[in-house]
Amino acid sequence: EVLDADEKGEWMKTLRHWSHLDVVVEATGRAETWEQAVHLVRKGGVVNLFGGCPAGSKVTLDTNRMHYDQITLKSSFHHKPSSIRAALDAIAQGVVQPRQFITDEKPLEELPAILKSMLHSKTMVKTCILPGAGAVSS
C-alpha cells in the first residue's frame, strides 16, 4: 500500500490502522514522514528512509520505541545529480542499453502483487512499472 503524505487527513486516519507493518519505506524526503514512518512499523520491524531530505533537515524520533521495540532504521544512498546526468548521457549515446536490464513490464495496478512475488523470485530483476493503463509489449 502507498500513503500519500499530502493528503494529511486521510493519511493520519489510515496511520492509526497501520501500526503493525513489517517494513516501511519512506520515499518522500520529508522530515515529518521520516518521523511518522517509525510509528507505522511493528516491534522488530524495519524502516527504510529512502527519500533524502534537504540538507539541514532534522527529525525527532521516539528513542524508547526505537530501543525497546528493536526498530531497525536503514538509509539509502542517493546519487548526485551529476551521476544521473552521466548515466542519462550514456543511455542517450547508446553506450548503455537499458532494455537489457528490464525483465518485465507491468501496469502500476499490479505493483502490490509484483512486490510480493519478488520476495520469492530469483529471476525477477527489474520490472518496468507503467503508470498508464495496461503494460506495453516490447
Side-chain angles (χ1 to χ4, degrees), residues 12-128:
M12 295 308 287
K13 210 182 318 176
T14 305
L15 180 65
R16 287 190 294 262
H17 301 288
W18 285 13
S19 59
H20 296 87
L21 299 173
D22 296 327
V23 177
V24 174
V25 178
E26 189 290 326
T28 67
R30 294 168 53 177
E32 60 269 23
T33 57
W34 276 41
E35 292 173 356
Q36 291 301 323
V38 175
H39 296 289
L40 291 170
V41 73
R42 68 166 172 76
K43 289 183 178 183
V46 176
V47 176
N48 183 314
L49 301 170
F50 181 77
C53 295
S57 297
K58 305 278 187 235
V59 297
T60 302
L61 300 173
D62 181 344
T63 57
N64 188 64
R65 175 143 163 72
M66 297 288 305
H67 181 76
Y68 292 104
D69 288 354
Q70 300 178 356
I71 305 299
T72 300
L73 290 182
K74 295 184 176 205
S75 59
S76 301
F77 172 76
H78 292 276
H79 296 281
K80 298 182 289 185
S82 61
S83 299
I84 301 300
R85 278 191 292 278
L88 291 174
D89 286 345
I91 291 169
Q93 295 170 12
V95 175
V96 174
Q97 300 296 320
R99 281 266 170 224
Q100 295 174 348
F101 302 104
I102 297 173
T103 57
D104 203 358
E105 293 181 349
K106 299 285 184 180
L108 180 60
E109 295 78 28
E110 292 183 31
L111 185 59
I114 293 165
L115 294 174
K116 188 174 182 178
S117 68
M118 289 175 84
L119 290 172
H120 308 290
S121 174
K122 301 270 190 242
T123 59
M124 188 179 288
V125 179
K126 298 285 182 182
T127 300
C128 178

